[in-house]
């Protein structure tokens, strides 16, 4: 993922942020919960979710791109976001239940999975 793609996703996030927050409200996401952000990319939603669940909650950001996850790890370290865990993995290979999530979120991910879908996922 090139720096330009990170910048593009950030701009796109700003445009879609309020609708995304509406979806989280409808889903009942809130303080103290564990939320998994599948295909998190550089983590613009993961970081907002980490603020939403507050320090008592836990967000797990999962993405297969090392560039995206390394980028997010550097932000997490810089900002000291102890409630945001970053995992580099294909979403088809993770056991979501290991985190006992209260909710799972994914934005702009499933269109990438259709051609590479593995048995047992979805
Ligand atoms: C368009 S970006 C969306 C990023 C983020 N969800 C957002 O809303 O800003 C799609 C992301 O899905 C990730 N992705 C695609 N296929 C994946 C897979 N099989 N497992 C994990 N991540 C995947 C890509 O690496 C990329 O970061």
């Amino acid at each position: 993922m090139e720096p330009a793609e990170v910048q593009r996703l950030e701009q796109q996030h700003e445009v879609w942020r309020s609708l995304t927050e509406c979806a989280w409200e409808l889903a009942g996401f809130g303080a103290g919960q564990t939320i998994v952000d599948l295909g998190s990319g550089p983590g613009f939603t993961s970081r907002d979710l980490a603020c939403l669940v507050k320090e008592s909650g836990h967000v797990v950001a999962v993405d297969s791109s090392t560039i995206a996850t390394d980028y997010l790890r550097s932000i997490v370290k810089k900002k000291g976001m102890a409630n945001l865990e970053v995992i580099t993995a294909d979403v088809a290979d993770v056991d979501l239940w290991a985190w006992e999530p209260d909710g799972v979120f994914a934005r702009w991910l499933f269109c990438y999975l259709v051609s590479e879908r593995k048995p047992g996922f979805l």
Side-chain angles (χ1 to χ4, degrees), residues 1 5 8-9 38-42 44-45 62-65 68 89-91 107-109 112-113 116:
M1 185 176 289
E5 174 64 357
R8 186 190 71 77
L9 284 169
L38 287 178
S40 59
F44 297 111
T45 51
V62 181
D63 200 282
S64 56
S65 161
D90 190 304
V91 296
R107 188 177 69 176
W108 307 322
L109 167 70
Y112 297 101
L113 302 184
E116 55 191 64

Side-chain angles (χ1 to χ4, degrees), residues 43-110:
F44 297 111
T45 51
S46 313
R47 286 154 61 188
D48 284 357
L49 282 166
C51 292
L52 182 68
V53 301
K54 305 193 186 303
E55 288 180 7
S56 58
H58 180 207
V59 173
V60 184
V62 181
D63 200 282
S64 56
S65 161
T66 51
I67 294 174
T69 49
D70 284 351
Y71 174 87
L72 181 54
R73 276 191 198 97
S74 71
I75 301 283
V76 165
K77 190 173 173 190
K78 195 166 140 191
K79 296 189 180 283
M81 303 179 79
N83 67 344
L84 177 46
E85 180 181 355
V86 185
I87 306 287
T88 307
D90 190 304
V91 296
D93 295 332
V94 294
D95 175 11
L96 293 178
W97 305 117
W99 295 294
E100 298 184 6
D102 298 289
V104 178
F105 176 74
R107 188 177 69 176
W108 307 322
L109 167 70
F110 293 101

Side-chain angles (χ1 to χ4, degrees), residues 10-55:
E10 184 168 23
Q11 288 169 350
Q12 200 168 252
H13 176 60
E14 288 308 321
V15 172
W16 287 92
R17 189 182 225 150
S18 60
L19 274 177
T20 302
E21 288 171 348
C22 282
W24 294 342
E25 191 178 345
L26 285 170
F29 289 3
Q33 293 184 341
T34 294
I35 306 292
V36 180
D37 187 4
L38 287 178
S40 59
F44 297 111
T45 51
S46 313
R47 286 154 61 188
D48 284 357
L49 282 166
C51 292
L52 182 68
V53 301
K54 305 193 186 303
E55 288 180 7

